[in-house]
Amino acid sequence: MSKKLILSFLICFSSLYSWAGKVVTDSIYSTVLGSTVLYNVYLPDGFETEGRKFPVVYLLHGLSNTYRTWNDRSHMKEIADELIESGEATPMVIIMPNAGHPDVHHQWNGFFDMPGWKYETFFFSEFLPAVEQKYRIIGDKQHRAIMGLSMGGGASTVYCQKHPEMFSSSYAMSAWLTCDKPKEGKNGKDKLYLVTQSVNENSTIDFLANADKATIEKLRTVRWFYDCGDDDPDMGLSVNMHVLSMYNGIKDELRIRNGGHNWEYWNSALRLALPFASQDFRK
């Protein structure tokens, strides 16, 4: 192999890694939950040297997942690096909080308040303020977005419905938006029953169907995106939200793409979600 060919190879190889963020694991002790909560953070290239503040995306996991799942099961870091380097997404901090456990029957799961697990209270009163101070986050509506898959997609929608003054956009992937009948568990009291009950109590469809004019006006300040596969059993929920949004004059995006309720789909959705959030970050 000639020296010129070797040099060209090295230049091309190094260019693949010219933009490299990193994922770090951190924790916070919650007095609300009475326990330590772990979370992962994606820090863009230049975070440790530039000294400026960054926009933030809260990336929520699904049922039976944990804070590690986006990094372990997805190509989240590589996707973020690629999109930022290409200019499709702006440099941002991505926070991946833990609200779950693989054992859905005996361990807590869920982003909402339940008896013995007031996660939503923890998220807004303790978690969000702490991480935004620690990681030099701009911390206003325009520069804060939220997104997630399945249970996390539903939670991102609920959080924006309840706090439209805090988020510029919500991107719901294969979202679990309501649960008409909580799944039965042992004596109706196991953790899976409680989390499905909490999804039912926080139905995004019921919230929008019953929203008054003042609430509708606030919801119009958020950019909404519902992204679901055509083979996903929850596809109808995203379609219903889109129809209700149109009826109420709330602009949103709906994509029904080829795919199911799986990581192949969510990896492709993340490639759309980060540029979508970046549209507000750049204003």
Side-chain angles (χ1 to χ4, degrees):
M1 184 181 293
S2 69
K3 290 183 178 180
K4 286 185 178 180
L5 187 59
I6 293 174
L7 181 60
S8 298
F9 173 79
L10 292 175
I11 291 173
C12 291
F13 182 80
S14 64
S15 67
L16 295 174
Y17 297 91
S18 60
W19 190 283
K22 69 177 183 178
V23 174
V24 299
T25 299
D26 207 339
S27 65
I28 178 175
Y29 180 79
S30 168
T31 57
V32 171
L33 299 176
S35 62
T36 298
V37 178
L38 295 167
Y39 60 98
N40 271 350
V41 184
Y42 169 83
L43 300 174
D45 185 67
F47 178 87
E48 295 174 323
T49 58
E50 294 182 15
R52 65 184 176 94
K53 291 186 175 183
F54 290 81
V56 64
V57 163
Y58 290 90
L59 184 59
L60 309 184
H61 62 70
L63 182 70
S64 80
N65 296 162
T66 72
Y67 72 100
R68 296 180 53 182
T69 309
W70 273 108
N71 199 45
D72 291 350
R73 297 290 304 278
S74 169
H75 301 288
M76 185 280 306
K77 178 190 172 300
E78 289 77 10
I79 291 172
D81 284 347
E82 178 186 331
L83 291 172
I84 292 172
E85 184 176 22
S86 69
E88 296 172 77
T90 190
M92 65 183 75
V93 172
I94 303 175
I95 308 288
M96 293 156 276
N98 193 57
H101 191 280
D103 183 356
V104 298
H105 292 283
H106 303 99
Q107 302 293 330
W108 285 112
N109 281 268
F111 292 95
F112 306 130
D113 285 356
M114 292 170 268
W117 178 254
K118 296 192 176 298
Y119 192 92
E120 188 174 343
T121 297
F122 152 73
F123 184 91
F124 286 99
S125 67
E126 295 181 325
F127 184 72
L128 185 148
V131 297
E132 293 197 357
Q133 181 178 15
K134 182 170 185 177
Y135 287 99
R136 298 201 320 275
I137 289 166
I138 296 172
D140 62 16
K141 174 183 172 71
Q142 179 183 335
H143 298 94
R144 184 189 294 121
I146 190 166
M147 58 186 66
L149 68 89
S150 194
M151 180 178 75
S156 68
T157 308
V158 171
Y159 282 9
C160 275
Q161 286 182 331
K162 293 183 179 180
H163 303 276
E165 77 285 354
M166 295 185 67
F167 300 98
S168 57
S169 68
S170 166
Y171 197 108
M173 314 172 194
S174 312
W176 190 16
L177 299 167
T178 193
C179 184
D180 293 334
K181 183 180 179 181
K183 297 179 181 179
E184 295 181 1
K186 297 176 182 178
N187 302 319
K189 295 181 179 179
D190 78 350
K191 298 297 193 297
L192 179 59
Y193 177 85
L194 292 174
V195 71
T196 56
Q197 185 180 50
S198 75
V199 172
N200 181 54
E201 292 171 349
N202 288 275
S203 167
T204 65
I205 293 173
D206 289 347
F207 183 96
L208 187 51
N210 297 313
D212 58 26
K213 290 183 179 180
T215 300
I216 294 297
E217 285 300 319
K218 293 177 182 178
L219 296 179
R220 288 172 179 163
T221 69
V222 178
R223 296 171 58 249
W224 307 87
F225 203 120
Y226 303 99
D227 185 351
C228 198
D230 56 0
D231 294 322
D232 194 304
D234 289 333
M235 181 189 70
L237 301 179
S238 294
V239 173
N240 287 344
M241 282 299 293
H242 175 62
V243 172
L244 277 170
S245 295
M246 289 195 302
Y247 177 80
N248 286 287
I250 299 171
K251 293 182 179 180
D252 73 323
E253 298 283 344
L254 172 68
R255 295 292 184 275
I256 304 299
R257 301 183 290 115
N258 183 48
H261 203 84
N262 53 46
W263 280 103
E264 180 182 2
Y265 192 89
W266 300 322
N267 280 332
S268 65
L270 190 60
R271 291 184 177 275
L272 300 175
L274 297 181
F276 179 75
S278 295
Q279 292 176 31
D280 292 291
F281 298 164
R282 290 193 173 108
K283 290 180 181 177

